[in-house]
Amino acid sequence: MTAMLNTATRPNWLRPSVIQPLNEHRNALKNGAEVDQDEVGFFLYDLDYLAQHLSTLMQQDVIKLWFAVKANPLSRVITTLAQQGFNFDVASQGELTQVLAQNVQAERILNTGPAKSKQQMKAFLTQGVRTFVVESLNQLQWLNEAATELSCRPQVLLRVQLQWDEGEKNPLGGNEVTAFGLSCQEWQTIKVSDFLALNINGLHIFQWGNMLSNERMFELWSQMVTPLLSLAEQLEMTLEVLDLGGGLGVDYLQTGQSLHWDNIVADLAKIKARAGVSELWLELGRFAVAEMGYYVTSVVDRKENFDQQQLVLSGGINHLIRPAITEQPFPVAMLRESQASESYFDLHGPLCTSLDKLGTLAIANDVGIDDQLIFGLAGAYGFTESMPFFLCHPIAAEYVLQQGKIEQVRAAQPATWYLR
């Protein structure tokens, strides 16, 4: 079965302050491209919107911006980011290979992640990467040895983990002890001068996620300055770079809370001045790409169970797992227009587990079998964060929308694509 997916205008079912629609017509996405619905679910990324959004983020000279590739490693997304001047935060050899394959120069790449072996860091050095976030004493020693072997001197930031009086509960741990970096006390056991092959000139800290308050973000950033400056002094290091990671949030629940970029830049200018650093870095993921993405799937069944309306969908957490692990569902609507009043539905996917639920959300009450649902804010942590192999359902396709045309980047694939 095929269905026409219009591609010129964006739906107005999300607040303009969240999605910035170029057109207020409900008749979503015009221009006559056909999408094969045998694939049961697919992602669509609006690269024109992405380029516009990134251009806005780049119109400042306070922060050096990196893209956390884990948020969306699709080739065309990386290319768009590179064209807009973003640098790239990669946390695995696979991410590095993908970024280099898009003709991004290695000097624009930062290697992060808690599981860096000496072999991986040496491989990154061999491929030209010269900037590393180091997360353990072993990593520091291994990188020093590898750099000595290869006669190079990479730039190094030490990742610091702090504890707070009031921990922010989030996927990175907040006030809990995690594998990300070390405490100030642990870092104080080293001498920067002992690592002659490394230019250790920065500190990295990031342990909160999806923050939606400018005031709270500034409060957290402000609390970090004193302990980090103290650590730099104790290590006798010249602190030139402060990397604040990411954590800038997206209003998945449509509460009306959202961060204001101008305020972020103004706040970070104050942090930069207080810290006395020449460079301030952010690694953006969802804040950079979430709003350009959509996920589309269809209704397989509708039923009522214990007075609760339920929709069973062709795709669920096998394509879009974030709602299940964060309890933050993606906003949703029917693709077709409807004048019917809305009702709340439990949205379940096709997997044989109660975890496969995309939320309880309001949808027009005349929704029925074969209707398509479109989820917004799906440009980050979508396809590559999903669990596509359980139950052997098809792998979701990915499309891009650019200059009014839809192009397939990867076709849907049956389970025989990976089963052996």
Side-chain angles (χ1 to χ4, degrees), residues 168-174 206-213 216-217 220 244-250 252 259 286 322 326 328 381:
E168 292 293 324
K169 298 301 180 183
N170 61 78
L172 289 178
F206 169 39
Q207 56 192 95
W208 45 82
N210 204 40
M211 298 292 292
L212 294 173
S213 166
R216 184 57 176 147
M217 287 295 297
L220 286 168
L244 301 178
L248 278 64
V250 169
Y252 290 101
L259 295 173
R286 69 178 66 82
R322 191 183 188 280
T326 64
Q328 294 178 335
Y381 304 113

Side-chain angles (χ1 to χ4, degrees), residues 370-390:
D370 291 335
D371 269 327
Q372 289 179 287
L373 302 185
I374 181 167
F375 293 80
L377 301 178
Y381 304 113
F383 172 72
T384 56
E385 196 185 32
S386 63
M387 48 181 298
F389 305 127
F390 187 42

Side-chain angles (χ1 to χ4, degrees), residues 112-416:
T112 63
K116 293 189 287 289
S117 65
K118 180 180 179 181
Q119 291 80 4
Q120 176 183 308
M121 290 188 290
K122 186 174 182 179
F124 272 54
L125 288 172
T126 301
Q127 294 169 89
V129 177
R130 293 294 181 267
T131 310
F132 293 80
V133 170
V134 166
E135 309 217 18
S136 73
L137 300 178
N138 284 330
Q139 286 185 14
L140 190 63
Q141 183 62 42
W142 293 335
L143 185 59
N144 189 68
E145 293 171 359
T148 300
E149 293 174 28
L150 297 172
S151 300
C152 60
R153 193 165 187 259
Q155 178 184 20
V156 171
L157 281 67
L158 306 179
R159 181 160 185 174
V160 180
Q161 187 174 153
L162 297 178
Q163 289 189 313
W164 310 89
D165 293 335
E166 297 179 4
E168 292 293 324
K169 298 301 180 183
N170 61 78
L172 289 178
N175 208 32
E176 298 176 6
V177 177
T178 71
F180 300 105
L182 292 174
S183 68
C184 290
Q185 290 74 22
E186 291 297 324
W187 283 126
Q188 287 167 13
T189 64
I190 71 166
K191 292 182 179 179
V192 169
S193 57
D194 289 341
F195 302 91
L196 297 178
L198 307 178
N199 175 24
I200 305 174
N201 72 343
L203 296 175
H204 176 291
I205 182 166
F206 169 39
Q207 56 192 95
W208 45 82
N210 204 40
M211 298 292 292
L212 294 173
S213 166
N214 284 95
E215 292 76 14
R216 184 57 176 147
M217 287 295 297
F218 182 64
E219 181 182 347
L220 286 168
W221 286 330
S222 297
Q223 291 180 46
M224 298 179 331
V225 174
T226 297
L228 293 181
L229 289 180
S230 177
L231 175 61
E233 182 179 0
Q234 290 166 341
L235 295 180
E236 297 182 354
M237 66 179 289
T238 301
L239 184 60
E240 298 175 343
V241 178
L242 188 57
D243 185 341
L244 301 178
L248 278 64
V250 169
D251 186 13
Y252 290 101
L253 299 180
Q254 303 288 269
T255 63
Q257 300 180 74
S258 60
L259 295 173
H260 300 282
W261 180 245
D262 290 344
N263 291 356
I264 291 171
V265 174
D267 288 343
L268 288 177
K270 297 174 186 176
I271 298 296
K272 188 176 183 180
R274 289 184 195 175
V277 293
S278 57
E279 293 188 23
L280 197 62
W281 296 357
L282 282 183
E283 301 157 11
L284 303 184
R286 69 178 66 82
F287 195 79
V289 298
E291 294 182 2
M292 61 96 184
Y294 303 89
Y295 172 70
V296 178
T297 191
S298 57
V299 177
V300 173
D301 201 0
R302 173 177 175 170
K303 58 187 178 180
E304 185 172 340
N305 218 354
F306 296 102
D307 298 321
Q308 178 60 46
Q309 293 289 330
Q310 296 177 312
L311 297 178
V312 182
L313 311 180
S314 293
I317 62 174
N318 55 320
H319 293 167
L320 206 64
I321 198 173
R322 191 183 188 280
I325 61 179
T326 64
E327 297 183 351
Q328 294 178 335
F330 289 74
V332 68
M334 280 199 299
L335 194 58
R336 67 173 173 85
E337 292 189 63
S338 172
Q339 302 302 317
S341 60
E342 291 185 332
S343 296
Y344 278 92
F345 292 85
D346 287 342
L347 305 182
H348 297 275
L351 304 187
C352 296
T353 168
S354 60
L355 293 174
D356 194 5
K357 184 179 178 182
L358 299 185
T360 300
L361 296 163
I363 302 175
N365 194 40
D366 63 344
V367 62
I369 294 169
D370 291 335
D371 269 327
Q372 289 179 287
L373 302 185
I374 181 167
F375 293 80
L377 301 178
Y381 304 113
F383 172 72
T384 56
E385 196 185 32
S386 63
M387 48 181 298
F389 305 127
F390 187 42
L391 260 70
C392 302
H393 284 284
I395 303 295
E398 289 185 296
Y399 295 84
V400 295
L401 168 62
Q402 194 166 34
Q403 297 181 350
K405 296 181 180 179
I406 282 184
E407 180 182 346
Q408 186 181 78
V409 180
R410 190 196 60 258
Q413 300 292 341
T416 52

